[in-house]
């Protein structure tokens, strides 16, 4: 039992030493990154082809709200 514990302690010490011997990677800061694909557009458009998943999510959320409202109205009158 004590030999297993001793091996576990040695392994954890080696892991801690390996973490402390890490190197710092420096990235160049002189690159100009332009994230906008179209510089002429000033507004975000939900109907773009690149935003089709977001359009589906918004449509699904609106559909769920409408369905819940209609079910609530129906349950009040029946």
């Amino acid at each position: 039992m004590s030999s297993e514990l001793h091996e576990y302690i040695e392994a954890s010490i080696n892991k801690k030493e390996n973490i402390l011997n890490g190197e710092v990677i420096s990235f160049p800061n002189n690159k100009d990154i332009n994230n906008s694909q179209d510089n002429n557009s000033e507004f975000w458009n939900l109907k773009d082809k690149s935003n089709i998943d977001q359009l589906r999510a918004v449509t699904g959320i609106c559909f769920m709200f409408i369905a819940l409202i209609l079910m609530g109205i129906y349950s009040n009158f029946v």
Side-chain angles (χ1 to χ4, degrees):
M1 180 69 178
S2 65
S3 64
E4 293 174 2
L5 184 62
H6 183 66
E7 289 176 8
Y8 175 75
I9 292 172
E10 284 182 0
S12 66
I13 289 173
N14 289 336
K15 286 181 184 178
K16 287 181 183 178
E17 287 177 359
N18 289 338
I19 290 174
L20 295 176
N21 292 332
E23 295 179 11
V24 176
I25 300 174
S26 62
F27 293 102
N29 292 330
N30 58 358
K31 291 184 180 180
D32 185 26
I33 299 173
N34 189 2
N35 290 333
S36 64
Q37 294 177 0
D38 187 15
N39 292 334
N40 294 333
S41 66
E42 295 179 13
F43 299 102
W44 177 68
N45 192 1
L46 188 61
K47 294 183 180 180
D48 286 342
K49 290 182 180 180
S50 63
N51 296 330
I52 192 70
D53 57 339
Q54 295 173 358
L55 176 64
R56 288 179 181 167
V58 170
T59 305
I61 291 170
C62 291
F63 176 76
M64 287 304 299
F65 279 132
I66 291 171
L68 289 172
I69 289 170
L70 290 176
M71 283 187 276
I73 292 171
Y74 179 77
S75 67
N76 277 335
F77 292 123
V78 173

